[in-house]
Structures are given as C-alpha cells and as structure tokens.
Amino acid sequence: MHKKEELLKRCTEILSKELPVLRKINNLTQKDLGDIIGVSRQTVTNIESGKSEMKWTTFLAIMFVFSLDHGSVEYLRRLDIPYAEIKQWLAEKRGEK
C-alpha cells in the first residue's frame, strides 16, 4: 500500500472507532452528525460499526465539525492520529519542503 493510502486508512480507522465518543461529547445522534456532514444516518452507523470505510472527505468534515468544540478538540488531541504526518503530506502536495 502506498504511504499516502496507509496514512489515510490509519486516520479514518482511528476516527471511526472514536466516533461514538465524539458524538456523545457533543450530544449528537448518528442522524444529527449525518445531517451536519451531508451523509445518511445509515452511513454513520456503518462507519461506526466497521461495515463501511470512512472516505477521506468524510474524515475531513468530521474533524472540522468536532474541531469547533473545546471538549472535542481535547479528546482529538489524545487520539493517535498522526497529525505531523498529515501536515507533512499536505506540505508535499503543495510543493513545500
């Protein structure tokens, strides 16, 4: 698997596992979150249960939504999401060193 694909897969897997906790912190149902990020309740259910893999665009939308709440941000910081690797990958995409 390509480095980028491994990074994206690792990030989405981590967030998928933690999604129920993040929703609870924000008092959101699966339907609420789906409505906010533009997917169905069933999509959120399938992501949380592991029946479906989270798309990168869904990952980004969820990270944005939960970055707006202080409690969620603190929780996200404790997760094993490789922020430095994401930042490096984005810099490479923009042609930076």
Side-chain angles (χ1 to χ4, degrees), residues 9 12-13 16-17 19 40-55 58:
K9 184 171 176 60
T12 58
E13 285 176 352
S16 294
K17 291 176 187 173
L19 200 48
S40 69
R41 180 206 51 82
Q42 190 63 42
T43 296
V44 176
T45 300
N46 289 341
I47 288 170
E48 289 184 359
S49 69
K51 290 181 182 177
S52 297
E53 289 186 11
M54 183 185 303
K55 294 180 182 176
T58 303

Side-chain angles (χ1 to χ4, degrees), residues 73-89:
V73 169
E74 291 303 314
Y75 188 82
L76 287 169
R77 286 184 180 151
R78 292 192 298 264
L79 299 181
D80 195 25
I81 294 175
Y83 294 107
E85 290 178 54
I86 295 170
K87 186 176 179 180
Q88 179 184 356
W89 175 70

Side-chain angles (χ1 to χ4, degrees), residues 3 15 17-18 26 28 31 39 47 49-51 58 60 64-65 70 75 78 83 88 90 97:
K3 182 179 177 181
L15 189 59
K17 291 176 187 173
E18 300 298 331
N26 288 275
L28 294 173
K31 182 176 180 344
V39 301
I47 288 170
S49 69
K51 290 181 182 177
T58 303
L60 294 173
F64 174 75
V65 168
H70 178 72
Y75 188 82
R78 292 192 298 264
Y83 294 107
Q88 179 184 356
L90 290 172
K97 298 282 184 208

